[in-house]
Amino acid sequence: MDCFTKRELRMSSLSICTICQDEAEVLPEFLESCKFIADSLKEDFKELVIVDGGSKDTSVEIIKSYQDKMPIVLIEYPFDTFGQQKNRALERATGDFILGIDADMTITTNFPQLFKTGYFQAACMWDFMLYFTARDKYHHFKWPPGYTMRLWKRGPLFITNFHEKLQGQYPGVPSCPEVTIFENSFRQSEEALLNRGRRYQRFQKEMSEAGGGPGDELRYLNASKAPDSEIAEIPAHVCKYIL
């Protein structure tokens, strides 16, 4: 397995990289999740790198309010593509590992402790279970369970503009069943959900040619209004690790 570099197993430092644009409604929970990791890892936490694509809400102010609570590198660059924005964050990261979670995501509190054990040094990339939260942090949409590749050894950059893929990313990335990631975007206002759907429309042609598509621009707004029959409780063994 190509691990990109010849670093020894001493690797233990972490950077978190994300992009942001008008995420004020979900940023506080994301930042609190990052702060928990930073406090847990102490000197092994290098920085949180955030690239803001030109937020018109209070996102930048919220980020700056956390700069005295953990090391944050804030880069303001007009949004062009998802992949390029994420690469701008990666180019500033200094950790041995990258945790690439989005500004509307959080991660279970058992992650930093597992990271400190050296568990993740066994592979270059790691998948985590993903729940799309609904209404609050303890409920999720009854969508087919899936995994998302969010942790990797620093080195590769993203090679696509949408639904980003890393250089060297391969099928069958090992999964970590202990850690869960939550995408919390469905707790935003209607305007934020509409903006989220619209941002993907500019990549409709590329996404369709790749065998997918952005869906209707109302997809996130409609999902937020899903009936109770489409929503389930997050399992108790996962809830105990929710911050």
Side-chain angles (χ1 to χ4, degrees):
M1 183 183 300
D2 179 11
C3 286
F4 312 117
T5 69
K6 298 297 184 180
R7 297 187 183 96
E8 301 296 330
L9 291 181
R10 61 168 180 78
M11 291 188 298
S12 60
S13 61
L14 179 76
S15 295
I16 300 176
C17 292
T18 195
I19 63 174
C20 171
Q21 188 169 342
D22 297 324
E23 304 278 8
E25 293 171 272
V26 290
L27 260 176
E29 290 203 41
F30 163 79
L31 290 166
E32 283 297 319
S33 186
C34 294
K35 182 178 180 298
F36 180 87
I37 294 172
D39 291 345
S40 300
L41 295 183
K42 297 182 173 33
E43 67 274 5
D44 290 330
F45 181 79
K46 291 300 185 181
E47 69 274 304
L48 165 61
V49 186
I50 304 177
V51 179
D52 184 84
S55 292
K56 294 179 175 60
D57 61 6
T58 59
S59 291
V60 172
E61 288 77 7
I62 293 171
I63 295 167
K64 289 181 177 179
S65 74
Y66 275 79
Q67 287 184 316
D68 62 346
K69 301 176 183 179
M70 59 181 157
I72 294 178
V73 177
L74 173 61
I75 302 166
E76 296 183 60
Y77 194 99
F79 177 82
D80 45 10
T81 73
F82 293 100
Q84 287 303 314
Q85 285 289 79
K86 291 191 173 187
N87 284 341
R88 293 180 183 106
L90 292 178
E91 288 166 353
R92 293 291 297 273
T94 62
D96 295 305
F97 282 85
I98 303 296
L99 179 62
I101 56 176
D102 297 337
D104 58 1
M105 289 180 170
T106 53
I107 191 167
T108 47
T109 57
N110 58 344
F111 168 74
Q113 186 59 44
L114 193 60
F115 183 85
K116 287 192 288 187
T117 68
Y119 177 96
F120 297 110
Q121 294 179 13
C124 302
M125 299 178 176
W126 288 90
D127 278 347
F128 300 115
M129 174 65 78
L130 175 69
Y131 282 108
F132 291 87
T133 61
R135 300 178 186 172
D136 61 39
K137 64 176 69 176
Y138 300 108
H139 293 80
H140 69 99
F141 291 94
K142 291 181 179 178
W143 295 346
Y147 282 83
T148 178
M149 202 287 293
R150 294 287 170 173
L151 182 73
W152 62 91
K153 292 183 180 179
R154 179 169 55 90
L157 299 177
F158 288 101
I159 57 176
T160 59
N161 291 331
F162 57 91
H163 290 177
E164 303 83 2
K165 182 178 179 181
L166 278 176
Q167 297 165 334
Q169 190 169 339
Y170 54 91
V173 171
S175 60
C176 173
E178 292 91 346
V179 174
T180 301
I181 286 177
F182 308 95
E183 184 165 332
N184 302 304
S185 58
F186 296 102
R187 288 183 282 128
Q188 296 185 52
S189 66
E190 291 192 358
E191 183 61 27
L193 293 169
L194 281 170
N195 287 339
R196 181 177 172 85
R198 291 165 182 158
R199 285 174 68 192
Y200 280 96
Q201 298 306 309
R202 63 181 293 184
F203 303 106
Q204 186 170 32
K205 183 175 184 295
E206 294 173 83
M207 294 174 76
S208 297
E209 290 174 351
D216 190 278
E217 67 178 33
L218 300 178
R219 62 185 296 197
Y220 298 105
L221 177 60
N222 291 337
S224 71
K225 299 178 179 181
D228 290 343
S229 60
E230 297 179 15
I231 295 172
E233 292 185 358
I234 290 174
H237 73 277
V238 176
C239 283
K240 69 179 182 179
Y241 292 119
I242 294 177
L243 186 64

